[in-house]
Amino acid sequence: MTAYGLYTHIASNKFRSMLLLGGLFLLVYVMVFAGALLAEVALNSNRPFEAYITLAAHDLVKAFPFATIGAAAWIVIAYFFHQNIIDAVTGGHDVTRQEQPRLYNLLENLCISRGIPMPKLKIVDSPALNAFATGLNRSQYSISVTTGLMKALNDREMEAVLGHELTHIRNGDVQLLVIAVVIAGVIGFFAELFFRIFFNSGVRYSGGGRSSSSSDGDKKGGGAFAIVLLAIALIGIAWGLSLVVRFALSRSRELLADAGSVELTKDADAMISALRKIEGRGELPGATSAVMEMCIDNPREGFADLFATHPSVDSRVKALVKYAGGRDPGPMALPGGDAETGDSAPQSGDTSPEARPEPPHGGPWGSSPQPTPSPAGSILGPWGRR
């Protein structure tokens, strides 16, 4: 199902979510069949190849209901407890308007402007510059922001980041990614389980068959060896496909979320400036690869960028310049560490976002200031300047 815009992308994500759920069960059955092959070899390593296939097929039929129940239980656990797991990994916690009035008001303004239900707001105590959205339904949706990001960005840039994450929720990206993570998680779990059980059990598939010098003995031993290779190949293919699904989801959705943020805020320059500040500074210590895939930027690129889950910041900025008319200030340094970035990001309404000091090398607003009709002391909403 091809997606041609922001709204067809939402329908496409729902369709792909159903395919992924079906793919989860299919890959689980492949894993069960591979496990049955290994189990039959462990029980008797003197059978011919065809006998192992037949016995493993019978085992799969017997295990079918149990495998289905197990996969369904995994989905239920992920549905209800994935946020608790993510919070435990990242240290995120809920905040209220009283605790974070600046952040809460910016997110609320964006939601009101489009009639979107307000997601939960979470803070992650980390100097990293990053943010991510999670949730599988309206009551679970949440947006998490690091304290480092709050200090580094001004109101316009923070509003752009919140718009980016809100777009992930609107487009159904967070649902799709959680399902993909569930698929990879269950496949990875069973793959490791099978390998540990088989190789730690002291099984010698060639033990009985190799002791005979007859051609029949060689054939039986060879059958066991071929079955082991087939089972390992099936497990590897299932595990690889589960990872491919995860890697295939991220790149296009980040570009569409950038575009959705501009649609919400009408401020392409703010999105570009936020990306330039976040660039290369988003690593969350202790976070798993699955959590980093949900973030606005994932600096973990993998081998030769082959396994990068996000497009580069340069390519995202070029798209915003080309299609949204934004201006690229180039890579932005944050000299002075947290202290200076904290000064450049006002925490209250006492200073207008446009009044922030210009960086030494010149920021995106220095050469061509934006109109500022809003009075000083107000918190700007997404439509305040338009």
Side-chain angles (χ1 to χ4, degrees):
M1 183 175 183
T2 305
Y4 297 98
L6 292 175
Y7 299 103
T8 55
H9 180 72
I10 299 174
S12 175
N13 270 357
K14 292 180 179 179
F15 178 72
R16 285 188 291 172
S17 295
M18 301 308 298
L19 290 181
L20 283 175
L21 283 175
L24 167 63
F25 287 94
L26 178 62
L27 291 177
V28 167
Y29 300 142
V30 171
M31 296 289 292
V32 171
F33 181 70
L37 290 174
L38 294 177
E40 292 298 337
V41 170
L43 292 174
N44 189 336
S45 61
N46 295 319
R47 295 190 179 106
F49 183 88
E50 296 77 8
Y52 287 119
I53 297 295
T54 302
L55 290 171
H58 288 302
D59 293 339
L60 176 61
V61 172
K62 294 178 181 178
F64 188 88
F66 301 102
T68 303
I69 293 173
W74 193 283
I75 293 175
V76 171
I77 292 172
Y79 185 88
F80 288 104
F81 300 108
H82 75 277
Q83 186 62 59
N84 301 80
I85 297 173
I86 293 172
D87 289 343
V89 171
T90 62
H93 58 276
D94 294 346
V95 293
T96 63
R97 185 196 302 273
Q98 290 72 27
E99 294 172 319
Q100 291 292 339
R102 171 203 177 211
L103 202 61
Y104 198 97
N105 289 339
L106 289 172
L107 180 58
E108 186 179 57
N109 287 344
L110 287 172
C111 293
I112 292 174
S113 70
R114 280 294 191 271
I116 305 171
M118 177 82 171
K120 298 175 183 177
L121 189 60
K122 294 178 178 287
I123 298 298
V124 177
D125 295 321
S126 171
L129 309 188
N130 229 322
F132 56 90
T134 54
L136 286 172
N137 58 51
R138 183 170 295 181
S139 63
Q140 292 181 338
Y141 291 143
S142 67
I143 294 178
S144 300
V145 179
T146 64
T147 52
L149 190 68
M150 294 173 59
K151 294 177 181 178
L153 304 190
N154 61 39
D155 281 2
R156 293 174 65 185
E157 295 161 347
M158 181 60 70
E159 185 180 73
V161 169
L162 293 174
H164 175 102
E165 300 304 332
L166 203 57
T167 300
H168 278 316
I169 293 176
R170 295 174 67 198
N171 289 0
D173 294 330
V174 291
Q175 296 171 321
L176 197 63
L177 190 56
V178 168
I179 293 172
V181 168
V182 170
I183 292 175
V186 69
I187 298 303
F189 172 79
F190 282 113
E192 184 175 356
L193 180 65
F194 287 148
F195 279 121
R196 285 181 180 273
I197 292 176
F198 185 76
F199 290 107
N200 291 341
S201 63
V203 174
R204 297 295 182 267
Y205 55 84
S206 60
R210 290 296 186 185
S211 60
S212 172
S213 59
S214 65
S215 60
D216 182 63
D218 290 339
K219 181 179 179 181
K220 292 177 181 178
F225 180 74
I227 285 296
V228 170
L229 292 181
L230 175 61
I232 292 175
L234 289 175
I235 294 173
I237 291 172
W239 179 75
L241 287 176
S242 68
L243 293 182
V244 167
V245 169
R246 286 170 59 182
F247 294 143
L249 295 178
S250 297
R251 298 199 180 208
S252 62
R253 71 186 180 91
E254 292 302 323
L255 295 172
L256 286 167
D258 291 341
S261 175
V262 175
E263 183 198 29
L264 282 170
T265 64
K266 302 296 187 290
D267 196 344
D269 288 346
M271 187 72 250
I272 292 174
S273 180
L275 288 173
R276 285 303 187 188
K277 286 186 177 181
I278 293 170
E279 185 177 11
R281 303 180 179 99
E283 180 68 30
L284 287 171
T288 63
S289 60
V291 172
M292 292 304 301
E293 288 169 21
M294 298 180 181
C295 293
I296 189 172
D297 183 40
N298 183 6
R300 303 176 186 176
E301 294 184 351
F303 176 73
D305 200 38
L306 182 63
F307 298 111
T309 60
H310 289 53
S312 67
V313 169
D314 282 335
S315 63
R316 293 165 69 176
V317 168
K318 287 179 182 178
L320 290 171
V321 170
K322 181 177 180 180
Y323 298 107
R327 290 163 294 178
D328 181 15
M332 299 179 67
L334 297 176
D338 291 341
E340 182 161 331
T341 58
D343 293 339
S344 66
Q347 300 297 318
S348 66
D350 296 338
T351 304
S352 175
E354 285 73 24
R356 65 182 176 88
E358 184 179 82
H361 63 283
W365 323 119
S367 59
S368 179
Q370 298 293 317
T372 56
S374 299
S378 64
I379 295 177
L380 297 177
W383 315 113
R385 296 178 295 277
R386 302 295 181 198

